[in-house]
Amino acid sequence: MLRLTVYALLAISSGVASFFITNPTLVNMTAGLSVGLFVPVVDEIAQNWGHIRQLWYSLRYRNRSIRVSTSYLFKIYVDGKYLLIRGSRYRTQFQPVGGVHKVSPQGNAALSAMGVTDDDLIPLDSVSYGDLRVRVPGKQIFQFFRWFDSRQGREDSPWREFQEELLATGILPLDKFPHIMHNYLGREVDRIRYSPWAESLEILVADVYELVPTQKQEDALRQLAATGHPDIVWVSSQQIKRRGAVARQPQTIEISAHSQRIL
């Protein structure tokens, strides 16, 4: 952001100066400098667009409360099919393995200093305690995401949900998965919108990881697909896009909308 400001000021200054200089050589030099600086300005804007948008939210919605929910999801893909698991709260729905980030005591202190409060939509219990599903004062949105991007005081590994959903439940054998390797595919930050369910403005954030199994782990996943499990489905990308529907067949499962993030 600092580099963007510097580049922009230099480009503007050079452009303005070219209008007041009468020497043709200097005019060409300042105009050329202005055009040359325009390229890095555009590049910096592209790289910092998310931060610019968050800064805009902080100004536009400074007197509003914004619900923010952050999560991480696993793309588990074998033989052309994606593994989805039955939701723990919405049992009729299948979704990617994953869940909401947890916050540490250090993180809670940082959030409290910003005036961030707990969300009241999901009952606070042993499962949801510490979830990063919160209400952020609008004027603190930019600061909140700076804290979130720092990764300090919050969960920074997808292992917990993988262990809780697939290993502790016995769906996958623990001896084959004493640890896992994964690739970070990226982050999706939805544009701010009004949520009738939350009765407030809302921003949803999702980090997406891809499981990179060993050969033994891949074999275990294939065995799971072959033997089946009532809380697991293996589906195609088309079925995920259609929320569980298959052309010319009765719909037997429902797939969450956010499952499309793993495609």
Side-chain angles (χ1 to χ4, degrees), residues 211-255:
L211 179 68
V212 183
T214 64
Q215 188 58 58
K216 288 183 178 180
Q217 291 171 345
E218 191 170 309
D219 291 342
L221 288 167
R222 285 197 176 94
Q223 184 175 359
L224 173 63
T227 57
H229 190 285
D231 291 331
I232 291 292
V233 293
W234 292 86
V235 295
S236 65
S237 59
Q238 186 67 15
Q239 199 168 359
I240 290 176
K241 292 175 183 177
R242 300 186 66 177
R243 301 288 303 276
V246 178
R248 295 179 295 280
Q249 293 183 24
Q251 184 165 347
T252 58
I253 61 170
E254 178 184 353
I255 294 176

Side-chain angles (χ1 to χ4, degrees), residues 74-139:
F74 256 111
K75 172 186 174 181
I76 303 177
Y77 183 75
V78 176
D79 297 334
K81 298 284 187 176
Y82 297 83
L83 182 152
L84 301 180
I85 190 168
R86 188 184 300 276
S88 58
R89 292 190 181 277
Y90 305 101
R91 300 294 293 173
T92 60
Q93 181 174 267
F94 288 86
Q95 60 196 30
V97 171
V100 179
H101 291 98
K102 295 290 186 181
V103 184
S104 71
Q106 176 194 10
N108 279 326
L111 294 176
S112 294
M114 286 184 254
V116 175
T117 58
D118 291 333
D119 181 49
D120 58 1
L121 286 182
I122 303 296
L124 188 63
D125 53 27
S126 59
V127 176
S128 63
Y129 181 78
D131 281 356
L132 193 47
R133 189 187 284 118
V134 293
R135 303 276 177 156
V136 182
K139 63 183 180 181

Side-chain angles (χ1 to χ4, degrees), residues 5-67:
T5 303
V6 172
Y7 284 144
L9 288 175
L10 287 174
I12 293 171
S13 299
S14 300
V16 171
S18 65
F19 286 100
F20 296 95
I21 298 173
T22 57
N23 186 297
T25 301
L26 292 177
V27 168
N28 291 335
M29 289 176 60
T30 55
L33 178 61
S34 179
V35 172
L37 288 169
F38 182 74
V39 174
V41 167
V42 172
D43 183 60
E44 286 292 321
I45 289 175
Q47 292 186 35
N48 291 278
W49 184 248
H51 293 148
I52 294 171
R53 188 165 63 185
Q54 293 153 14
L55 185 59
W56 167 242
Y57 290 161
S58 295
L59 296 172
R60 181 177 181 182
Y61 304 110
R62 60 177 294 102
N63 297 320
R64 304 281 295 274
S65 175
I66 300 174
R67 181 178 187 265

Side-chain angles (χ1 to χ4, degrees), residues 72 74 97-103 127 129-131 155 157-168 180:
Y72 55 89
F74 256 111
V97 171
V100 179
H101 291 98
K102 295 290 186 181
V103 184
V127 176
Y129 181 78
D131 281 356
E155 191 172 25
S157 166
W159 167 252
R160 177 181 55 83
E161 287 285 357
F162 186 93
Q163 191 276 333
E164 290 179 358
E165 296 189 346
L166 294 178
L167 302 180
I180 58 172

